[in-house]
Coordinates of all heavy atoms in Angstrom, one line a residue:
L9 N -48.5 84.5 55.8 CA -47.5 83.4 56.0 C -46.8 83.1 54.7 O -47.5 82.7 53.7 CB -48.1 82.2 56.6 CG -47.2 80.9 56.7 CD1 -46.0 81.2 57.6 CD2 -48.0 79.7 57.2
G11 N -44.5 80.6 52.8 CA -44.1 79.2 53.0 C -43.9 78.4 51.8 O -44.1 78.9 50.7
M12 N -43.6 77.1 52.0 CA -43.6 76.1 50.9 C -44.4 74.9 51.5 O -44.1 74.5 52.6 CB -42.1 75.7 50.6 CG -42.0 74.8 49.5 SD -42.0 73.1 50.1 CE -41.9 72.2 48.5
W13 N -45.3 74.5 50.7 CA -46.4 73.6 51.2 C -45.9 72.3 51.9 O -46.5 71.8 52.8 CB -47.3 73.2 50.1 CG -46.7 72.3 49.0 CD1 -46.0 72.6 47.9 CD2 -46.7 70.8 49.1 NE1 -45.6 71.5 47.2 CE2 -46.0 70.4 47.9 CE3 -47.3 69.9 49.9 CZ2 -45.8 69.1 47.6 CZ3 -47.1 68.5 49.6 CH2 -46.4 68.1 48.5
A14 N -44.7 71.8 51.5 CA -44.2 70.5 52.0 C -43.3 70.7 53.2 O -42.9 69.7 53.8 CB -43.6 69.7 50.9
S15 N -42.9 71.9 53.5 CA -41.9 72.1 54.6 C -42.5 71.8 56.0 O -43.6 72.4 56.3 CB -41.5 73.6 54.5 OG -40.8 73.9 55.7
P16 N -41.9 71.0 56.7 CA -42.3 70.7 58.1 C -42.2 72.0 59.0 O -43.0 72.1 60.0 CB -41.4 69.6 58.6 CG -40.2 69.6 57.8 CD -40.7 70.1 56.4
F17 N -41.3 72.8 58.7 CA -41.1 74.1 59.4 C -42.3 75.0 59.2 O -42.9 75.6 60.1 CB -39.9 74.8 59.0 CG -38.6 73.9 59.2 CD1 -38.0 73.3 58.1 CD2 -38.1 73.7 60.4 CE1 -36.9 72.5 58.3 CE2 -36.9 73.0 60.6 CZ -36.4 72.4 59.5
V18 N -42.8 75.1 57.9 CA -44.0 75.9 57.6 C -45.2 75.2 58.2 O -46.1 75.9 58.7 CB -44.1 76.0 56.1 CG1 -45.4 76.7 55.7 CG2 -42.9 76.7 55.5
K19 N -45.2 73.9 58.2 CA -46.4 73.2 58.7 C -46.6 73.5 60.2 O -47.7 73.6 60.6 CB -46.2 71.7 58.5 CG -47.5 70.8 58.8 CD -48.7 71.3 58.0 CE -48.4 71.2 56.5 NZ -49.6 71.6 55.8
R20 N -45.5 73.7 60.9 CA -45.7 74.0 62.3 C -46.5 75.3 62.5 O -47.4 75.4 63.3 CB -44.3 74.3 62.9 CG -43.4 73.1 63.0 CD -42.0 73.5 63.5 NE -41.1 72.3 63.5 CZ -39.8 72.4 63.7 NH1 -39.3 73.6 64.0 NH2 -39.0 71.4 63.7
V21 N -46.1 76.3 61.7 CA -46.8 77.6 61.8 C -48.3 77.5 61.4 O -49.2 78.1 62.0 CB -46.1 78.7 61.0 CG1 -46.8 80.0 61.1 CG2 -44.6 78.8 61.4
E22 N -48.5 76.8 60.3 CA -49.9 76.5 59.8 C -50.7 75.9 60.9 O -51.9 76.3 61.2 CB -49.9 75.6 58.6 CG -49.5 76.3 57.3 CD -49.7 75.4 56.1 OE1 -48.8 74.6 55.8 OE2 -50.8 75.4 55.6
L23 N -50.2 74.9 61.6 CA -50.9 74.2 62.7 C -51.2 75.1 63.8 O -52.3 75.1 64.4 CB -50.1 73.0 63.2 CG -50.0 71.8 62.2 CD1 -48.9 70.8 62.7 CD2 -51.3 71.1 62.0
A24 N -50.2 76.0 64.2 CA -50.5 76.9 65.3 C -51.5 77.9 64.9 O -52.4 78.2 65.7 CB -49.1 77.6 65.6
L25 N -51.5 78.5 63.7 CA -52.5 79.5 63.3 C -53.8 78.9 63.2 O -54.8 79.5 63.7 CB -52.1 80.1 61.9 CG -50.8 80.9 61.9 CD1 -50.4 81.2 60.4 CD2 -51.0 82.2 62.6
N26 N -53.9 77.7 62.7 CA -55.2 77.0 62.6 C -55.8 76.7 64.0 O -57.0 76.9 64.3 CB -55.1 75.6 61.9 CG -54.9 75.8 60.4 OD1 -55.0 76.9 59.8 ND2 -54.4 74.8 59.7
H27 N -54.9 76.2 64.9 CA -55.4 75.9 66.2 C -55.8 77.1 67.0 O -56.8 77.1 67.8 CB -54.3 75.1 67.0 CG -54.7 74.6 68.3 ND1 -55.8 73.7 68.4 CD2 -54.2 74.8 69.6 CE1 -56.0 73.4 69.7 NE2 -55.0 74.0 70.4
K28 N -55.1 78.2 66.8 CA -55.5 79.5 67.5 C -56.7 80.1 66.8 O -57.3 81.1 67.4 CB -54.3 80.4 67.4 CG -53.2 80.1 68.4 CD -53.4 80.7 69.7 CE -52.1 80.8 70.5 NZ -52.4 81.5 71.8
G29 N -57.1 79.7 65.6 CA -58.2 80.3 64.9 C -57.8 81.7 64.4 O -58.7 82.6 64.3
I30 N -56.6 81.9 64.0 CA -56.1 83.2 63.5 C -56.2 83.2 61.9 O -55.6 82.4 61.2 CB -54.6 83.4 63.8 CG1 -54.5 83.3 65.4 CG2 -54.1 84.7 63.3 CD1 -53.1 83.2 65.8
Y32 N -55.4 84.1 58.2 CA -54.1 84.5 57.6 C -54.2 84.3 56.1 O -54.9 83.5 55.6 CB -53.0 83.8 58.2 CG -52.9 82.3 58.0 CD1 -52.2 81.7 56.9 CD2 -53.7 81.4 58.8 CE1 -52.1 80.4 56.7 CE2 -53.6 80.0 58.5 CZ -52.9 79.5 57.5 OH -52.9 78.2 57.3
Y34 N -52.0 83.0 52.9 CA -50.8 82.2 52.6 C -50.2 82.5 51.3 O -50.9 82.6 50.3 CB -51.2 80.7 52.7 CG -50.1 79.8 52.4 CD1 -49.1 79.5 53.3 CD2 -50.0 79.2 51.1 CE1 -48.1 78.6 53.0 CE2 -48.9 78.3 50.8 CZ -48.0 78.0 51.8 OH -46.9 77.2 51.5
E36 N -47.4 81.0 48.8 CA -46.5 79.9 48.4 C -45.2 80.4 47.7 O -45.3 81.2 46.8 CB -47.2 78.9 47.5 CG -46.4 77.8 47.0 CD -46.1 76.7 48.1 OE1 -46.7 76.8 49.2 OE2 -45.3 75.8 47.8
P57 N -40.3 79.3 57.1 CA -41.4 80.2 57.0 C -41.0 81.6 57.4 O -40.1 81.8 58.2 CB -42.4 79.6 58.0 CG -41.5 79.0 59.0 CD -40.4 78.4 58.3
L59 N -43.5 84.8 58.9 CA -44.8 85.3 59.3 C -44.7 86.9 59.3 O -43.8 87.4 59.9 CB -45.2 84.9 60.7 CG -46.6 85.2 61.1 CD1 -47.6 84.2 60.4 CD2 -46.8 85.1 62.6
S69 N -39.3 79.0 62.5 CA -40.6 78.5 63.0 C -40.7 78.5 64.5 O -41.8 78.8 65.0 CB -40.7 77.1 62.4 OG -39.7 76.2 62.9
I72 N -41.5 81.9 65.6 CA -42.8 82.2 65.2 C -43.9 81.6 66.1 O -44.9 82.3 66.5 CB -43.1 81.8 63.8 CG1 -42.1 82.6 62.8 CG2 -44.5 82.1 63.4 CD1 -42.2 82.1 61.4
L73 N -43.7 80.4 66.5 CA -44.7 79.7 67.4 C -44.8 80.5 68.7 O -45.9 80.7 69.2 CB -44.2 78.3 67.7 CG -44.3 77.3 66.5 CD1 -44.0 75.9 67.0 CD2 -45.7 77.3 65.9
I76 N -46.6 83.8 68.1 CA -48.1 83.6 68.0 C -48.7 83.4 69.4 O -49.7 84.0 69.7 CB -48.3 82.4 67.1 CG1 -48.0 82.7 65.7 CG2 -49.8 81.9 67.2 CD1 -48.0 81.5 64.7
F156 N -53.5 70.3 72.9 CA -52.7 70.4 71.7 C -51.8 71.6 71.8 O -52.2 72.8 71.9 CB -53.6 70.6 70.4 CG -52.9 70.5 69.1 CD1 -52.3 69.3 68.7 CD2 -52.7 71.6 68.3 CE1 -51.7 69.3 67.5 CE2 -52.1 71.6 67.1 CZ -51.5 70.4 66.7
I161 N -47.3 70.0 68.0 CA -47.1 70.6 66.7 C -45.8 70.2 66.1 O -45.8 69.8 64.9 CB -47.2 72.2 66.9 CG1 -48.7 72.6 67.1 CG2 -46.6 72.9 65.6 CD1 -48.9 74.0 67.4
A165 N -45.6 67.9 62.8 CA -45.1 68.5 61.5 C -44.1 67.5 60.9 O -44.0 67.5 59.7 CB -44.5 69.8 61.8
A202 N -57.3 71.0 63.8 CA -56.3 71.9 63.2 C -55.3 71.0 62.3 O -54.9 71.5 61.3 CB -55.5 72.6 64.2
V203 N -55.1 69.8 62.7 CA -54.2 68.9 62.0 C -54.9 68.4 60.7 O -54.3 68.4 59.6 CB -53.7 67.7 62.9 CG1 -52.9 66.8 62.0 CG2 -52.9 68.2 64.0
K205 N -57.2 69.9 59.1 CA -57.3 71.1 58.2 C -56.0 71.3 57.4 O -56.1 71.8 56.3 CB -57.7 72.3 59.0 CG -57.9 73.6 58.2 CD -58.4 74.7 59.1 CE -58.6 76.0 58.2 NZ -59.0 77.2 59.1
A206 N -54.9 71.1 58.1 CA -53.6 71.3 57.4 C -52.9 70.1 56.9 O -51.7 70.1 56.5 CB -52.7 72.0 58.4
A207 N -53.6 69.0 56.8 CA -53.0 67.7 56.4 C -52.5 67.8 54.9 O -53.2 68.4 54.0 CB -54.0 66.6 56.5
L208 N -51.3 67.3 54.7 CA -50.7 67.3 53.4 C -51.4 66.3 52.5 O -51.8 65.2 52.9 CB -49.2 66.9 53.5 CG -48.3 67.9 54.2 CD1 -46.9 67.4 54.3 CD2 -48.3 69.3 53.4

Side-chain angles (χ1 to χ4, degrees):
L9 172 61
M12 184 271 178
W13 70 271
S15 165
F17 303 102
V18 174
K19 189 57 59 182
R20 294 172 184 176
V21 181
E22 285 188 271
L23 290 169
L25 291 170
N26 288 347
H27 188 54
K28 284 273 198 177
I30 301 167
Y32 66 96
Y34 178 76
E36 178 73 9
L59 188 78
S69 63
I72 295 171
L73 291 184
I76 289 171
F156 190 68
I161 284 171
V203 176
K205 183 177 179 181
L208 294 174

